[in-house]
Amino acid sequence: MKITFLVLIIFANGMINTAVYSQVQGCTDVAASNYNASATVNNGSCTYNATTYMPPLKVDPISDTLLESSGLQWAGNALWSFNDGGGAAAIYRIDTLTNALQQRVYLQGATNVDWEDIAFDGTYFYVGDFGNNANGARTDLKIYKFLLSAIPANYNANPVVTIPAGQISVINFVYSDQGIPVATSNNNTKYDCEAMIVNHGKIHLFTKNWIALTSTHYVINSLAAGNYTATPVDTLATGFLVTAADKSPGQEVIALLGYQATGYGNHFMYLLSDYMGENYFGGNKRRIDLPNALEMGQAEGLAFKNSTDGYISNEKVVRTVFGTTVTVHQKLHAFNISNYVSNLITTYIFTGNGNWDNLANWSSSKVPPAILSGNNQIIIDPLDGGNCVLNIAYTLSAGAKIIVNDNKNFVIQGNLTQQ
């Protein structure tokens, strides 16, 4: 085995990258209004010209069962949603072309006090029962966790499914900086939450601060059932109420969705990119202006389908504007972020067991090219107990990365060259 390199560093998380000796901090995004061509390290200072985007309409209306569609998640090649607090403790498989519901999945023993978002880690669903706007004093904040594989894939033969209580884990949590919850008036707390992602073995929450119109990123450092404390990382001054979050698969891009509870209910999306580690608010923060509530309803669900495309859902809204009652039905919109994030990364994921050059070992049979160009990445995530064996000569261009997931094995038998 031979490794040829200029300077090679293997970080604790398994990421391989070149060292940087001279660093100039500034805005590194060419799409930003203050782009600095001399900057080598993004310091999160990028600013952008106002951007307006109209997400294309997909389904209007979606099923009447989902009058309060409060969360979305793409998993198992399907789109899933559920109703807001007071609805059934169930998730629903949505047809993205019609208003039909393909499958109803009930969680035995669970209650829907105030379900607000849903996440997926490739194996498990996570449903967040952490809405807290009534008085900010809930002491039963929780996340339900269950296997996607517990749901039969043949929805035609299994239109209604119940997952036994014994197959559902519960992750309970409190906010580390809240202390003993004290009741307030409705919609007057900074400890409401409607947005969640799961990433690198942790749960990431983005709060809905009704008082300051900010969002604080909290982390729960486990995915196992139990009782936890969510600790704050950073706060973003959004100027609106954050109602949903999702991470683009294969990209270091997170989207936050939300709206203003005043006026016409203007909607927005923040695209977070080029951040370091879990400092999601420390990189690029590009705000995209979306239509108001007269078009978007009250949008509370967001999910990526792939690295650039996704869906937005809304609750039904009936609102009186200048003496006229306007009804906006629950709908499904699509979105695409290709034009709003620079240097999107192409990701190749090793998910099998054995040799690198075996097509079947790569997710979607997508094998990386002989030379991986800059800003692209390979994720090593073999089957549990298995190995990824680099049995050929391989080259990484400057800026390209190989990331070895936690507790996974990467065996180098051939030559690995870092330019």
Side-chain angles (χ1 to χ4, degrees):
M1 178 186 75
K2 180 178 74 173
I3 300 179
T4 305
F5 56 92
L6 295 178
V7 179
L8 185 67
I9 299 176
I10 302 179
F11 293 97
N13 64 0
M15 185 173 71
I16 300 177
N17 207 341
T18 51
V20 177
Y21 290 106
S22 178
Q23 297 181 343
V24 177
Q25 295 196 358
C27 173
T28 59
D29 188 354
V30 295
S33 57
N34 62 333
Y35 168 63
N36 181 357
S38 300
T40 59
V41 177
N42 188 2
N43 63 359
S45 64
C46 292
T47 57
Y48 301 88
N49 294 328
T51 303
T52 300
Y53 177 58
M54 174 73 75
L57 183 63
K58 293 290 290 184
V59 181
D60 180 14
I62 55 177
S63 169
D64 284 346
T65 300
L66 284 164
L67 292 177
E68 292 192 321
S69 175
S70 190
L72 284 180
Q73 181 62 52
W74 185 266
N77 201 33
L79 186 63
W80 302 85
S81 187
F82 56 84
N83 276 312
D84 207 337
I91 65 172
Y92 305 91
R93 179 174 175 144
I94 298 176
D95 187 327
T96 58
L97 299 177
T98 73
N99 65 355
L101 290 184
Q102 297 172 329
Q103 205 167 30
R104 302 166 185 257
V105 180
Y106 294 89
L107 277 58
Q108 186 182 66
T111 55
N112 184 346
V113 176
D114 198 355
W115 288 15
E116 292 295 356
D117 206 359
I118 181 171
F120 182 64
D121 67 2
T123 304
Y124 289 91
F125 276 116
Y126 300 79
V127 176
D129 187 356
F130 41 52
N132 196 22
N133 64 303
N135 60 23
R138 281 188 65 179
T139 57
D140 59 345
L141 304 173
K142 63 175 66 70
I143 299 161
Y144 294 108
K145 174 183 176 181
F146 55 96
L147 286 165
L148 168 64
S149 61
I151 304 172
N154 187 344
Y155 58 85
N156 288 318
N158 301 274
V160 180
V161 177
T162 297
I163 298 180
Q167 296 180 23
I168 303 170
S169 300
V170 181
I171 300 167
N172 302 289
F173 71 94
V174 296
Y175 295 106
S176 65
D177 54 350
Q178 185 176 19
I180 299 174
V182 177
T184 65
S185 56
N186 287 355
N187 301 335
N188 190 34
T189 178
K190 64 179 182 178
Y191 294 105
D192 190 14
C193 183
E194 296 193 10
M196 167 182 66
I197 66 171
V198 172
N199 195 30
H200 297 312
K202 300 178 183 179
I203 297 172
H204 301 267
L205 307 172
F206 302 91
T207 58
K208 182 182 183 185
N209 187 326
W210 289 87
I211 302 170
L213 297 182
T214 62
S215 182
T216 298
H217 169 207
Y218 286 84
V219 175
I220 298 173
N221 288 301
S222 179
L223 299 180
N227 301 312
Y228 298 96
T229 298
T231 56
V233 176
D234 199 1
T235 297
L236 177 65
T238 57
F240 60 88
L241 301 170
V242 172
T243 60
D246 201 15
K247 183 178 182 296
S248 168
Q251 304 287 341
E252 290 303 322
V253 178
I254 293 171
L256 302 180
L257 175 71
Y259 63 86
Q260 292 174 334
T262 57
Y264 286 98
N266 293 327
H267 282 66
F268 308 91
M269 179 190 295
Y270 256 109
L271 296 175
L272 312 176
S273 64
D274 200 18
Y275 45 77
M276 294 295 293
E278 296 176 352
N279 185 20
Y280 299 146
F281 295 158
N284 299 332
K285 301 171 285 291
R286 184 168 187 175
R287 196 187 83 178
I288 309 298
D289 297 346
L290 304 177
N292 59 37
L294 299 180
E295 169 62 28
M296 298 289 290
Q298 184 171 306
E300 297 199 1
L302 176 143
F304 280 98
K305 178 180 180 179
N306 54 43
S307 61
T308 57
D309 300 278
Y311 298 99
I312 294 172
S313 67
N314 66 276
E315 298 184 357
K316 180 178 179 179
V317 168
V318 178
R319 180 173 293 187
T320 300
V321 180
F322 299 120
T324 301
T325 299
V326 178
T327 299
V328 182
H329 292 284
Q330 64 284 3
K331 297 185 285 189
L332 188 68
H333 287 84
F335 69 85
N336 180 285
I337 65 169
S338 299
N339 294 328
Y340 308 116
V341 178
S342 301
N343 299 321
L344 288 170
I345 298 168
T346 299
T347 299
Y348 304 87
I349 308 176
F350 187 99
T351 56
N353 177 32
N355 288 339
W356 183 284
D357 60 1
N358 183 349
L359 181 71
N361 283 329
W362 295 90
S363 176
S364 302
S365 299
K366 184 179 176 183
V367 179
I371 299 176
L372 189 68
S373 58
N375 295 322
N376 295 323
Q377 63 184 12
I378 296 169
I379 296 177
I380 307 300
D381 190 28
L383 295 172
D384 289 344
N387 301 300
C388 171
V389 180
L390 182 64
N391 61 321
I392 61 173
Y394 197 75
T395 300
L396 299 175
S397 298
K401 296 179 286 188
I402 292 180
I403 300 173
V404 182
N405 282 353
D406 292 343
N407 302 314
K408 299 295 183 175
N409 299 319
F410 181 34
V411 180
I412 302 175
Q413 292 181 345
N415 297 334
L416 177 60
T417 300
Q418 170 86 62
Q419 294 180 342

